[in-house]
Amino acid sequence: DRLHDQVLMMSATPFTNMHRAAIMNLVARRLPFITDGTEWAKAGAVITYAPNTLTLYRRSASYVDKILRGANAGDLPIEQVSKFELIVNLKAAAALGITVPQSILLRADEIIQ
């Protein structure tokens, strides 16, 4: 008996982000794909759960601004992400014949039709 893959879960990294199109071409039409990079939902991942990257970049910019204005980087507080976004791509789910439970749809911050 062969085991069959049922889902692919992968962390978004600079390497995987650079090869997003190739990964999605190989995976998206065969397996449900779940990742922690919000931009992957638009590329065809069924579900993503991650911090909002735009918010992270804005917070990073405020740190750079403080440092350029003379703040000591070591004196700045460390911040932890407190808001995560759940994005569901119903189009990708439907293409794979998957029904996303209503309980997940109710929690979603964004639903791609």
Side-chain angles (χ1 to χ4, degrees):
D1 255 341
R2 287 184 45 199
L3 295 176
H4 295 283
D5 295 329
Q6 296 180 6
V7 67
L8 174 66
M9 184 172 175
M10 181 185 77
S11 290
T13 66
F15 178 81
T16 59
N17 286 337
M18 183 174 36
H19 298 288
R20 182 181 307 130
I23 292 168
M24 294 311 296
N25 282 335
L26 289 170
V27 174
R29 294 180 189 96
R30 296 175 185 90
L31 291 172
F33 184 66
I34 300 170
T35 187
D36 60 356
T38 57
E39 54 282 333
W40 286 80
K42 291 179 179 75
V46 174
I47 294 177
T48 63
Y49 184 69
N52 179 294
T53 51
L54 183 56
T55 301
L56 293 177
Y57 293 147
R58 285 184 179 145
R59 292 300 308 144
S60 297
S62 74
Y63 270 67
V64 170
D65 179 61
K66 289 175 186 176
I67 293 167
L68 291 176
R69 292 178 188 266
N72 181 349
D75 294 336
L76 295 175
I78 296 173
E79 293 185 13
Q80 185 171 349
V81 177
S82 60
K83 169 96 171 84
F84 287 77
E85 293 181 326
L86 175 63
I87 302 174
V88 178
N89 186 329
L90 288 179
K91 182 179 176 182
L96 293 165
I98 297 169
T99 302
V100 178
Q102 188 68 22
S103 60
I104 292 184
L105 294 175
L106 290 171
R107 291 185 177 122
D109 295 291
E110 182 180 345
I111 298 173
I112 298 172
Q113 298 289 342

